[in-house]
Amino acid sequence: MADALAAELEARCDGFKASFGGEELKRACATLSGALIGGALQPPLAALAEDADLHVRELAFAARQYAVATAEQPGDFEGLYNHGLVLQELSGKLPPGSAEQAAMLRTACARYEAALALRPAAHAALYNWGVALSDLARAVKAGSPAEATAALHLASQKYARSLQLHPRNPQALNNWGLVLQELSSDARSWGERDALVRGAMDKFRLALRGRPDFDRGTYNLGTVFYTFAMALQGAAGARRSHGAGGAGAAGARPAAPADAPPPPRRLAASPPPPDAPPSRGAREHAVRGLLAGAAQYIALAHALAPARDIYRKSLSVVRAMLPLPFLRAGHLSAPRARSIGTVTETWRRDWFVLDQHSLRQASSMETSLSTAGAGVPSASQQRAGGGGGGGGDDEPLVLPLRELLAVRRCAEPSLPEGGGIWVSTAASPAGTYLVADDGDAADAWVDALVLCAHLVAAGAADALEEALAPVRRGKHAAPLG
């Protein structure tokens, strides 16, 4: 109706032009703001007020207005908070790492701090303060590493407080995980690094389990595994080089194809920490496991968002570490079907596989296929802990993904030693208990089941199948193991 009225008025009144606050009015305000306030502003805000981008000029005008308003009314929470938001967004228009960018981010942090003094329970202000501190750490890291580290520690505190007020916010969990991952790169010992890396993993896991469609959190969890594997492998190479008087470092890290993307958040080369794991065998086993974990989460991220080019390229680097054509393979202990609910309940440790269809006890052929990859134990190793295809007269356990209702970790005291998992299905709502060899393996199984079940429910099983397709001849992936 408004458009019809405007057209009628314009037809009747020569020279009349209707405006209802649309793009024309915005452009006029932005142009006037540049002319009116440009001379009164301090650089770099004055330059931003004259920017060719309409949105940037609007932000500069808003920053000026909020500065004036909060000076007159210092108790205005909304004004202080919005001023911080505007300055934080404007900082992204300045040269990365410049003194001007750092100064604007410090001012944004001060605005959030003032706003929270008025309203301490404002979780959004805490969250955005954490984001601004993370941005500040990146801006000053080259020139002031100590300030960058302090900003990251403070950001961690803000995310923690924000999540206390607004639990399980996936974006806050994801950002907190990124902060811990960044802090781990400067850890002084393997113990400290391990604690920070595990903290980052926990945050990403909470994010993806709370929101299984969160592809960025899934991908970031994969990069944590990959980064830690490269750090462990790099430390081993540096130790061998040190022992050989500088020779022997070549080959410490696997080669990557020339067109491969840069390793996600790889740690800078540094001397091996004094408390690095001493056993070469233990290191190699840990690296294989970490790379297999990285491949699992990167494949899942690719299945969640197949159009994201970075996921596709990263998957090409780590695909060789998957137990193709499966997403995950490994030992799980399950109760013998005939003994469930009896006083003589017995458990059997078997080899399981997970693909786009189900989690199941592997057949002999599936066992051979899944143990041929670089990320899982050899066939002889897995046979030492239990064969495939069930045992005795029991039917092999099969849990179809389309029937999954819930999956979670459990700490039932009656279960065998290891990491407990509870899986509820449409056929068995009361749940089936499984036990992984340890807590880390149990977490990885739970994550994989949660995300695979989400993909199947969302009609994206084909995307997961494509991610798990073996590499065609003529195409190569980086030999990461």
Side-chain angles (χ1 to χ4, degrees):
M1 181 178 292
D3 290 340
L5 177 61
E8 183 179 351
L9 289 172
E10 289 174 2
R12 289 183 181 182
C13 306
D14 187 34
F16 176 82
K17 184 68 175 175
S19 176
F20 297 98
E23 286 302 313
E24 290 188 1
L25 182 58
K26 287 184 177 180
R27 289 190 183 95
C29 289
T31 301
L32 286 171
S33 70
L36 292 174
I37 69 172
L41 296 175
Q42 298 295 320
L45 209 53
L48 292 171
E50 301 287 351
D51 195 272
D53 190 319
L54 165 66
H55 182 58
V56 173
R57 297 200 304 273
E58 289 175 336
L59 289 172
F61 178 61
R64 172 61 176 167
Q65 293 299 94
Y66 284 128
V68 172
T70 54
E72 294 174 353
Q73 295 182 319
D76 178 9
F77 169 84
E78 295 295 340
L80 290 165
Y81 174 57
N82 289 332
H83 192 196
L85 289 175
V86 168
L87 291 174
Q88 188 173 345
E89 186 171 354
L90 275 173
S91 70
K93 311 300 180 182
L94 297 171
S98 65
E100 292 82 3
Q101 184 186 53
M104 190 170 287
L105 286 166
R106 292 188 191 100
T107 304
C109 290
R111 298 290 87 186
Y112 291 135
E113 183 176 15
L116 283 159
L118 299 170
R119 198 178 297 178
H123 64 85
L126 283 160
Y127 167 80
N128 283 296
W129 191 0
V131 175
L133 285 163
S134 300
D135 292 343
L136 177 60
R138 282 190 293 273
V140 303
K141 185 171 184 178
S144 181
E147 183 182 0
T149 300
L152 289 172
H153 281 291
L154 193 56
S156 182
Q157 296 174 21
K158 303 312 170 190
Y159 288 131
R161 177 59 179 155
S162 172
L163 285 160
Q164 287 177 350
L165 298 167
H166 188 175
R168 302 190 75 83
N169 176 354
Q171 193 59 63
L173 287 164
N174 178 71
N175 289 3
W176 192 3
L178 290 172
V179 165
L180 295 174
Q181 185 180 4
E182 183 66 26
L183 285 169
S184 73
S185 66
D186 296 321
R188 297 182 179 181
S189 68
W190 274 100
E192 181 185 359
R193 177 174 287 177
D194 183 72
L196 288 166
V197 167
R198 287 183 176 277
M201 290 178 177
D202 288 344
K203 305 305 176 289
F204 292 135
R205 280 201 165 103
L206 285 172
L208 66 89
R209 289 181 188 177
R211 201 183 111 188
D213 65 339
F214 191 29
D215 58 280
R216 282 180 296 165
T218 304
Y219 178 75
N220 287 334
L221 183 50
T223 69
V224 174
F225 277 86
Y226 186 82
T227 297
F228 199 44
M230 292 297 98
L232 191 58
Q233 197 170 56
R239 172 167 290 188
R240 288 195 298 271
S241 174
H242 178 74
R253 291 191 178 186
D259 59 346
R265 303 180 66 84
R266 179 176 290 184
L267 299 178
S270 58
D275 61 340
S279 167
R280 179 179 177 181
R283 279 198 303 269
E284 291 177 350
H285 178 75
V287 168
R288 283 197 304 270
L290 289 166
L291 289 175
Q296 169 181 308
Y297 293 106
I298 291 171
L300 287 165
H302 174 70
L304 288 166
R308 294 291 298 274
D309 194 51
I310 184 62
Y311 300 167
R312 178 184 60 80
K313 290 182 178 179
S314 296
L315 179 57
S316 72
V317 173
V318 297
R319 190 193 296 267
M321 297 307 301
L322 288 169
L324 299 174
F326 308 104
L327 176 70
R328 185 169 182 83
H331 285 113
L332 288 171
S333 295
R336 299 285 293 270
R338 293 173 179 267
S339 71
I340 293 177
T342 69
V343 294
T344 58
E345 185 174 81
T346 57
W347 290 70
R348 177 181 171 85
R349 184 171 180 262
D350 278 301
W351 192 254
F352 279 72
V353 292
L354 172 65
D355 60 12
Q356 69 273 17
H357 301 297
S358 65
L359 170 69
R360 58 189 180 272
Q361 285 174 273
S363 66
S364 297
M365 180 177 293
E366 289 173 334
T367 298
S368 297
L369 283 172
S370 63
T371 56
V376 294
S378 66
S380 60
Q381 287 175 313
Q382 78 85 17
R383 280 195 297 269
D393 297 327
D394 288 343
E395 288 291 325
L397 178 63
V398 179
L399 301 176
L401 293 174
R402 65 179 182 277
E403 295 185 7
L404 257 63
L405 301 177
V407 184
R408 63 172 180 261
R409 286 289 311 277
C410 64
E412 171 61 45
S414 64
L415 296 178
E417 184 178 356
I421 304 169
W422 178 80
V423 184
S424 173
T425 65
S428 179
T432 299
Y433 289 97
L434 302 169
V435 178
D437 287 349
D438 54 45
D440 289 341
D443 277 327
W445 279 110
V446 169
D447 294 341
L449 285 167
V450 167
L451 293 170
C452 287
H454 167 77
L455 286 164
V456 170
D462 289 348
L464 180 57
E465 183 179 13
E466 185 274 330
L468 299 178
V471 180
R472 296 178 182 176
R473 293 193 177 188
K475 294 187 177 182
H476 57 82
L480 292 182

